[in-house]
């Protein structure tokens, strides 16, 4: 008040102290405008020493404030290390924006390898037995949730670190993603080497999920800034690159697992080796002492290597290749992602796509011309209908992603063993990734013409596809034709394109229903549906498969001769539950001792899963059918004309 009162005859010592305390105790007390007014007043009084005191005071305060900023604070603000900060990577004004594309694509393709998780299921479930599952091996129900854990971490990461990512810039975010993802894969390899599933969960489920989340949002955001005139093209291509990541990762994982695979010690044919069963585990006497072994059938060997023989193998003497493959993948993707991160730049403030370009406020054909924010959105039934549509549609997709290879080998590997080999199954996984990429781009573009709701209706075609797979399975077991395999492949490829389209169409669907203004915030909350689907989908498949497997083994055991069963497994049929739990009794081994003519139930293990997926997809279709525009009375408008309309 003394400064701005307008009646100041002179400054005395008390005035100086008052100004000093005011500046020091209240950081925002002297704004630029106030400082200018004060300067004009003091110039009239010819008292320039006051200005110098205030200037020096603010200089000292700024210096002290900078000293107070800790390393954690600088990291939180995305300003340390400086070479990775957003301010440091601003491109020159005449920079060619197309030079940014390769690095962004490499980063997105690298992180897209998470969609090839099904390639890890088989080597992880026989990491101890190597050629067949041993009693101490992890089962599919323990391995599949690793992918779910990674997806859940992705959801939390994008929800809570999105603001930091925007502050820090693409280079720092990309480097963080590369470090987290690479370290996570290496830690998972160590978990496989020491047979500690907890390390695999921490490595791939936690650190891998962090790398996945940050590596996903960084390139998309960067390309949108560089292509303000072609945002649809930029985001579409980025999402396509992400979807294609698994197509490239599948053969790479297969190559590494084959390279690091080492066969266990072969003891002999099962008929020539005396097996002892203790607490459901199989042992063989070697050099006067009992050592645990596994019995590999011809079907087991066909999934591993053509050069091995069926029979008894000593556990702990070989390697499934998972540990070495995880570590190699981690190192490889660390360097590829680092290249993509370090090549990232942000546009200069004065940069334009071309000389005469000006930002345009393009209008989109919306269901509503108004908007509501994210807090109001979650109070509407439309939010939960859309959440349910995404959740139920994504369940089938995540179930297939997590187990695509093992589904193919289980259903058709026993029916067409000469065609459906390990290489064929790996190629199938790669083709699913390409379908995912095509769906992300194609359905997003198509929805501009047919509408978002109609596009989600088309995704309902996955219902008859899933429901028809059991019929294809039954057909395949009664014929030597490859037509069921072709139809199965085409159907799952179409379904997987729907899965990719769910997420590429979602942002526009949100804009149609809730308005354009708060799409980002609402989209982040709706992505929790995908995280929940990633948790439920693989769990659903594993639960139904395990239940079907136990039922199939129980039915087969009833058709076995009790003496033959006792001779083969060293235990009576009454001990079947314990023998199943320790992987001593499997479908493949029972098929060898049941009477001729008994049908192998392996291809039917997924029938209940497919029917369950069809039911869930029906719920998604119902949620989409109930979607309606929000009541205009709840909407906000930017102009009176829009509100009247």
């Amino acid at each position: 008040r003394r400064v701005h009162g307008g009646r100041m005859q002179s400054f005395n010592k008390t005035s100086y102290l008052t100004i000093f305390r005011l500046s020091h105790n209240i950081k925002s007390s002297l704004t630029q405008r106030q400082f200018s007014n004060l300067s004009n007043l003091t110039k009239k009084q010819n008292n320039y020493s006051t200005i110098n005191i205030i200037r020096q005071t603010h200089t000292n305060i700024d210096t002290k404030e900078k000293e107070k900023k800790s390393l954690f604070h600088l990291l939180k603000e995305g300003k340390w290390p400086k070479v990775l900060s957003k301010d440091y990577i601003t491109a020159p004004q005449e920079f060619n924006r197309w030079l940014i594309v390769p690095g962004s694509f490499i980063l997105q393709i690298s992180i897209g390898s998470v969609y090839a998780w099904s390639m890890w299921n088989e080597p992880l479930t026989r990491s101890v037995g190597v050629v067949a599952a041993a009693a101490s091996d992890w089962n599919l129900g323990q391995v599949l949730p690793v992918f779910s854990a990674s997806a859940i971490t992705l959801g939390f990461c994008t929800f809570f670190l999105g603001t930091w990512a925007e502050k820090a810039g693409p280079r720092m975010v990309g480097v963080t993603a590369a470090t987290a993802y690479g370290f996570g894969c290496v830690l998972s390899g160590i978990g496989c080497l020491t047979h500690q599933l907890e390390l695999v969960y921490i490595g791939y489920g936690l650190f891998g999920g962090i790398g996945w989340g940050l590596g996903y949002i960084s390139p998309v955001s960067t390309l949108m800034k560089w292509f303000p005139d072609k945002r649809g093209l930029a985001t579409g291509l980025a999402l396509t690159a992400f979807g294609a990541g698994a197509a490239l990762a599948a053969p790479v994982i297969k190559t590494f697992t084959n390279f690091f695979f080492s066969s266990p010690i072969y003891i002999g044919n099962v008929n020539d080796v005396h097996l002892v069963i203790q607490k459901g585990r199989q042992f063989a006497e070697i050099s006067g002492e009992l050592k645990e072994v596994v019995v590999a059938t011809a079907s087991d060997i066909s999934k591993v290597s053509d050069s091995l023989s069926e029979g008894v193998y000593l556990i702990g003497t070989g390697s499934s290749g998972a540990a070495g493959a995880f570590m190699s993948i981690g190192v490889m993707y660390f360097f590829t992602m680092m290249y993509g991160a370090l090549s990232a730049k942000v546009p200069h403030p004065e940069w334009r796509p071309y000389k005469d370009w000006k930002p345009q406020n393009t209008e989109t054909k919306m269901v509503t011309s108004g908007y509501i924010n994210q807090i109001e959105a979650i109070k509407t039934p439309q939010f939960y209908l859309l959440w349910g549509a995404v959740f139920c549609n994504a369940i089938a997709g995540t179930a297939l992603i997590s187990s695509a290879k093992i589904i193919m080998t289980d259903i058709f590997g026993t029916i067409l063993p000469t065609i459906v080999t390990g290489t064929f199954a790996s190629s199938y996984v790669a083709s699913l990734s390409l379908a995912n990429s095509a769906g992300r781009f194609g359905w997003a573009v198509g929805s501009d013409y047919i509408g978002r709701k109609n596009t989600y209706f088309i995704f309902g075609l996955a219902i008859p596809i899933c429901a028809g797979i059991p019929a294809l399975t039954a057909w395949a077991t009664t014929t030597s034709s490859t037509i069921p395999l072709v139809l199965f492949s085409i159907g799952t490829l179409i379904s997987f394109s729907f899965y990719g389209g769910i997420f590429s169409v979602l942002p526009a669907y949100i804009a149609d229903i809730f308005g354009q203004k708060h799409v980002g915030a609402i989209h982040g909350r709706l992505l929790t549906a995908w995280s929940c689907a990633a948790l439920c989908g693989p769990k659903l498949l594993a639960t139904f498969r395990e239940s079907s497997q136990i039922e199939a083994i129980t039915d087969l055991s009833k058709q076995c001769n009790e003496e033959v069963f006792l001779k083969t497994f060293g235990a009576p049929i009454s001990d079947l539950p314990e023998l199943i739990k320790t992987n001593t009794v499997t479908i493949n081994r029972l098929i060898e001792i049941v009477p001729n003519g008994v049908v192998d139930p392996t291809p039917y293990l997924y029938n209940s899963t497919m029917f369950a997926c069809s039911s869930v997809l029906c719920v998604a279709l119902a949620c989409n059918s109930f979607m309606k525009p929000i009541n205009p009375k709840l909407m906000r408008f930017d102009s009176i004309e829009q509100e009247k309309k």
Side-chain angles (χ1 to χ4, degrees):
R1 293 192 185 114
R2 293 181 64 186
V3 172
H4 293 287
R7 301 188 59 174
M8 299 175 60
Q9 301 300 323
S10 63
F11 279 93
N12 53 29
K13 186 175 181 180
T14 305
S15 301
Y16 295 148
L17 291 174
T18 302
I19 294 171
F20 179 87
R21 291 191 185 101
L22 183 66
S23 302
H24 182 72
N25 294 330
I26 306 175
K27 297 177 183 178
S28 60
S29 60
L30 291 178
T31 63
Q32 186 66 35
R33 184 176 179 181
Q34 290 171 334
F35 186 84
S36 177
N37 292 337
L38 178 61
S39 301
N40 293 333
L41 285 172
T42 51
K43 282 179 182 178
K44 291 178 182 179
Q45 299 296 330
N46 295 321
N47 198 335
Y48 291 99
S49 59
T50 306
I51 300 175
N52 293 332
I53 289 175
I54 296 174
R55 282 176 176 167
Q56 186 62 40
T57 301
H58 275 280
T59 301
N60 294 338
I61 292 173
D62 289 341
T63 303
K64 290 179 180 179
E65 288 297 324
K66 289 180 180 179
E67 291 175 354
K68 287 180 181 178
K69 288 183 179 179
S70 63
L71 180 61
F72 174 77
H73 181 79
L74 293 174
L75 283 171
K76 185 179 178 181
E77 295 296 320
K79 296 181 179 180
W80 188 91
K82 185 178 179 181
V83 70
L84 302 178
S85 65
K86 194 174 183 178
D87 297 335
Y88 190 84
I89 61 173
T90 301
Q93 189 171 346
E94 302 299 325
F95 190 79
N96 185 349
R97 60 179 174 175
W98 289 100
L99 297 177
I100 296 296
V101 175
S104 298
F105 277 19
I106 288 175
L107 181 59
Q108 198 80 323
I109 287 173
S110 300
I111 209 67
S113 62
V114 295
Y115 273 178
W117 173 257
S118 64
M119 296 294 297
W120 296 109
N121 289 331
E122 207 170 282
L124 287 176
T125 52
R126 51 177 174 78
S127 59
V128 176
V130 181
V131 291
S136 55
D137 265 319
W138 306 317
N139 59 45
L140 192 62
Q142 293 174 299
V143 170
L144 284 180
V146 176
F147 174 80
S148 302
S150 183
I152 292 171
T153 305
L154 158 76
F156 278 103
C157 183
T158 54
F159 189 87
F160 291 107
L161 296 182
T163 304
W164 172 81
E166 197 63 31
K167 291 180 181 179
R171 181 173 293 184
M172 187 175 296
V173 174
V175 168
T176 306
T179 305
Y181 193 70
F183 174 74
C185 289
V186 172
L187 187 60
S188 298
I190 296 173
C192 294
L193 197 63
T194 59
H195 200 63
Q196 298 183 60
L197 189 59
E198 296 82 2
L199 290 182
V200 180
Y201 272 91
I202 295 172
Y204 207 90
L206 179 59
F207 288 99
I210 293 173
W212 182 3
L214 294 178
Y216 181 85
I217 62 177
S218 176
V220 175
S221 176
T222 303
L223 287 176
M224 287 184 68
K225 290 181 175 67
W226 280 105
F227 290 85
D229 55 329
K230 300 177 181 179
R231 290 184 178 178
L233 174 65
T235 55
L237 289 176
L239 292 174
T240 301
F242 174 78
L248 298 177
V252 172
I253 295 172
K254 178 69 175 175
T255 301
F256 277 125
T257 50
N258 288 342
F259 179 80
F260 289 103
F261 174 85
S262 61
S263 59
I265 296 176
Y266 179 70
I267 299 176
N269 190 279
V270 65
N271 297 322
D272 301 329
V273 179
H274 176 65
L275 297 177
V276 178
I277 308 298
Q278 294 183 358
K279 296 182 180 180
R281 296 173 179 259
Q282 302 174 101
F283 295 87
E285 187 174 343
I286 303 173
S287 301
E289 60 178 301
L290 292 177
K291 292 188 177 180
E292 190 174 355
V293 296
V294 292
V295 178
T297 64
S299 178
D300 293 325
I301 295 299
S302 65
K303 299 176 183 178
V304 178
S305 174
D306 297 332
S307 60
L308 299 178
S309 303
E310 58 180 299
V312 182
Y313 288 85
L314 184 64
I315 72 168
T317 57
S319 172
S320 66
F326 260 125
M327 293 181 185
S328 301
I329 287 286
V331 173
M332 182 185 76
Y333 281 133
F334 170 76
F335 284 108
T336 57
M337 292 174 69
M338 284 294 286
Y339 168 78
L342 294 177
S343 64
K345 292 181 180 294
V346 294
H348 189 278
E350 302 297 325
W351 176 86
R352 296 290 182 269
Y354 45 87
K355 187 176 181 180
D356 299 328
W357 181 83
K358 293 182 180 180
Q360 296 179 355
N361 185 21
T362 56
E363 294 185 0
T364 326
K365 188 178 181 181
M366 299 287 181
V367 174
T368 176
S369 57
Y371 63 88
I372 58 175
N373 61 34
Q374 65 273 20
I375 304 300
E376 296 163 335
I378 62 176
K379 298 177 182 178
T380 64
Q382 284 85 349
F383 178 89
Y384 296 99
L385 287 172
L386 193 53
W387 193 98
V390 173
F391 171 73
C392 295
N393 269 311
I395 277 184
T398 53
L400 188 60
I401 288 172
S402 60
S403 306
K405 183 179 179 182
I406 199 168
I407 289 175
M408 172 60 78
T409 54
D410 278 351
I411 294 179
F412 292 99
T414 56
I415 301 171
L416 301 169
T418 57
I419 297 176
V420 184
T421 60
T423 303
F424 180 91
S426 300
S427 302
Y428 171 70
V429 173
S431 65
L432 288 177
S433 302
L434 293 176
N436 179 24
S437 300
R440 286 174 182 266
F441 188 78
W443 291 117
V445 174
S447 69
D448 288 335
Y449 299 95
I450 64 176
R452 326 301 175 193
K453 186 174 182 178
N454 290 335
T455 305
Y456 266 53
F457 271 130
I458 292 176
F459 296 159
L461 292 175
I463 296 172
I465 292 175
C466 290
I469 288 178
L472 284 177
T473 302
W475 182 17
T477 56
T478 58
T479 180
S480 58
S481 174
T482 58
I483 295 178
L485 174 62
V486 173
L487 293 177
F488 174 84
S489 301
I490 293 174
T492 51
L493 288 173
I494 293 173
S495 298
F496 216 60
S497 77
F498 295 160
Y499 174 78
I502 291 168
F503 302 104
S504 60
V505 176
L506 181 59
Y509 205 168
I510 294 171
D512 286 353
I513 301 299
F514 302 104
Q516 182 70 37
K517 192 165 187 177
H518 298 284
V519 166
I522 299 172
H523 187 210
R525 283 156 176 76
L526 277 171
L527 281 180
T528 57
W530 184 86
S531 295
C532 293
L535 175 64
C536 298
K539 188 66 176 176
L540 176 78
L541 183 141
T543 301
F544 278 109
R545 184 187 184 277
E546 185 177 359
S547 176
S548 299
Q549 185 176 21
I550 293 174
E551 183 180 352
I553 292 175
T554 303
D555 291 341
L556 286 175
S557 65
K558 293 177 181 179
Q559 303 181 57
C560 291
N561 183 284
E562 293 188 7
E563 294 182 0
V564 175
F565 188 94
L566 179 62
K567 181 180 178 181
T568 303
F569 300 107
I573 295 180
S574 58
D575 292 343
L576 187 62
E578 186 177 6
L579 296 173
I580 294 175
K581 187 176 180 181
T582 56
N583 294 320
T584 299
V585 174
T586 62
I587 293 176
N588 292 333
R589 293 198 65 190
L590 284 174
I591 286 295
E592 294 181 344
I593 63 173
V594 295
N596 294 331
V598 176
V599 179
D600 187 349
T602 303
Y604 301 96
L605 294 179
Y606 299 94
N607 285 3
S608 57
T609 302
M610 294 304 164
F611 288 133
C613 287
S614 298
S615 302
V616 172
L617 288 171
C618 288
V619 177
L621 191 65
C623 289
N624 185 57
S625 65
F626 287 121
M627 287 294 294
K628 294 180 180 180
I630 292 178
N631 188 340
K633 295 180 180 180
L634 302 176
M635 308 298 290
R636 300 180 183 181
F637 299 87
D638 290 326
S639 66
I640 297 176
E641 289 76 12
Q642 286 181 338
E643 189 169 359
K644 288 180 178 179
K645 188 181 295 185

